[in-house]
């Protein structure tokens, strides 16, 4: 049912980058649920139990798989929101799939066959982020791996391409190209404004451009929008420069619906 809803209406994947604590998840989830009701669109709550690809080994990664799933389950029980989280290793798929509705494949791992197949076999929706080194046309093959593993519930997500050093550029034609495959296409408005590794041992970026990325993606036919949100992004433990302030969520969503 969720996948069909995401086909029919603009959908939003929203939440803090990483699970910092339970109270943060509750605070953000409450606003996400309110936004879904206000605009009558599918909203999915997102947060990561492990940021396995942090720039520095000293950076905060998250509470881990077991604790993370407990935290997300509490969010689902309190707010009734569908959930998404990213996995980095094949064994995590079945465990996370017991709790979440969508399994997300990180961009750098989108060609990892075993990871894609493990996600597919859970029967959950699989959101595959386009790698920073691939074109939209190249994403036919990661999607095909999921489909041939027996799961046709695929979402493809644009998140920019590497452009020189510590920067990304978005070719919005990728959205148009990926839509030709027949799957919903999402725009990752947060990670497309990153400056990877460009802030002295951590990733920088500029949240100012998030609403513009979303509007441009809409013009190219995007079906959904991925935006990380946080009540105090300047003090967030991961990806703060790129997260939308929670208080700004409404004005960012309004033009998209």
């Amino acid at each position: 049912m969720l996948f069909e809803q995401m086909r029919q209406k603009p959908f939003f994947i929203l939440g803090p980058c990483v699970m910092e604590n339970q109270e943060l998840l509750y605070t953000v989830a409450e606003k996400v649920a309110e936004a879904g009701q206000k605009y009558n669109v599918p909203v999915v709550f997102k947060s990561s139990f492990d940021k396995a690809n942090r720039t520095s080994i000293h950076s905060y990664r998250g509470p881990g798989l077991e604790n993370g799933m407990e935290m997300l389950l509490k969010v689902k029980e309190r707010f009734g929101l569908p959930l998404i989280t990213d996995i980095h290793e094949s064994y995590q798929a079945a465990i996370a799939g017991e709790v979440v509705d969508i399994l997300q494949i990180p961009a750098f791992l989108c060609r990892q066959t075993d990871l894609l197949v493990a996600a597919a076999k859970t029967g959950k929706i699989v959101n595959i982020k386009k790698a920073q080194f691939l074109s939209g046309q190249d994403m036919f093959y990661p999607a095909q791996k999921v489909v041939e593993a027996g799961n046709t519930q695929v979402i493809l997500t644009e998140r920019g391409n590497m452009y020189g050093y510590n920067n990304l550029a978005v070719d919005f034609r990728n959205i148009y190209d990926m839509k030709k495959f027949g799957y919903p296409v999402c725009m990752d408005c947060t990670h497309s404004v990153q400056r990877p590794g460009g802030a002295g041992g951590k990733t920088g970026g500029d949240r100012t451009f998030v609403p513009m990325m979303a509007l441009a993606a809409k013009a190219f036919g995007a079906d959904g929008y991925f935006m990380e949100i946080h009540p105090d992004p300047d003090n967030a433990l991961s990806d703060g420069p790129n997260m939308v302030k929670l208080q700004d969520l409404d004005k960012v969503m309004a033009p998209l619906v």
Side-chain angles (χ1 to χ4, degrees):
M1 176 176 280
L2 176 61
F3 189 66
E4 289 307 312
Q5 291 173 348
M6 297 170 85
R7 280 187 173 281
Q8 295 167 9
K9 292 184 176 182
F11 64 87
F12 293 81
I13 297 173
L14 306 165
C17 178
V18 68
M19 302 175 196
E20 299 178 17
N21 55 66
Q22 191 71 58
E23 196 57 39
L24 170 67
L25 300 189
Y26 286 158
T27 298
V28 177
E30 182 177 15
K31 296 299 183 184
V32 171
E34 289 175 358
Q37 293 173 355
K38 177 178 180 178
Y39 292 109
N40 191 29
V41 293
V43 292
V44 182
F45 183 79
K46 180 268 171 187
S47 199
S48 299
F49 61 84
D50 181 18
K51 300 301 294 183
N53 59 350
R54 294 301 303 268
T55 303
S56 169
I57 196 170
H58 301 295
S59 296
Y60 176 74
R61 288 182 54 169
L65 179 58
E66 183 176 346
N67 290 335
M69 290 307 101
E70 291 178 1
M71 294 167 73
L72 283 181
L73 185 57
K74 290 178 180 178
V75 169
K76 176 175 278 191
E77 291 172 345
R78 177 173 291 198
F79 298 101
L81 289 167
L83 305 171
I84 180 172
T85 198
D86 39 344
I87 57 173
H88 295 82
E89 299 184 60
S90 300
Y91 81 90
Q92 296 172 344
I95 300 170
E98 291 293 320
V99 176
V100 305
D101 304 272
I102 307 175
L103 291 169
Q104 182 166 284
I105 308 299
F108 281 126
L109 300 178
C110 76
R111 289 170 51 134
Q112 296 297 107
T113 301
D114 291 345
L115 186 62
L116 291 163
V117 170
K121 287 184 176 178
T122 65
K124 301 294 183 175
I125 301 167
V126 182
N127 180 31
I128 313 173
K129 287 196 171 183
K130 182 185 72 62
Q132 299 90 329
F133 49 83
L134 294 181
S135 71
Q137 295 174 340
D138 293 328
M139 290 301 291
F140 172 81
Y141 300 101
Q144 184 184 41
K145 292 177 182 180
V146 174
V147 172
E148 295 203 8
N151 189 339
T152 59
Q153 298 184 103
V154 174
I155 298 170
L156 299 176
T157 294
E158 165 64 28
R159 54 97 68 241
N161 287 80
M162 289 295 184
Y163 180 71
Y165 298 96
N166 304 126
N167 214 340
L168 294 165
V170 177
D171 183 346
F172 288 96
R173 294 174 297 181
N174 286 327
I175 294 173
Y176 182 82
D177 287 341
M178 290 191 289
K179 282 179 68 73
K180 294 177 183 177
F181 306 142
Y183 311 115
V185 174
C186 183
M187 180 66 204
D188 184 343
C189 309
T190 290
H191 295 98
S192 59
V193 302
Q194 281 183 331
R195 290 175 186 158
K202 58 185 179 180
T203 289
D206 189 345
R207 72 176 67 91
T208 304
F209 298 107
V210 168
M212 304 173 204
M213 288 289 183
L215 288 169
K218 180 180 180 181
F220 276 83
D223 301 289
Y225 307 90
F226 178 112
M227 289 182 278
E228 290 181 338
I229 53 179
H230 194 286
D232 185 16
D234 290 332
N235 291 299
L237 298 182
S238 176
D239 235 350
N242 308 300
M243 283 195 280
V244 172
K245 293 180 180 179
L246 188 59
Q247 67 194 52
D248 294 336
L249 177 61
D250 189 72
K251 69 180 181 183
V252 175
M253 284 184 66
L256 303 172
V257 296

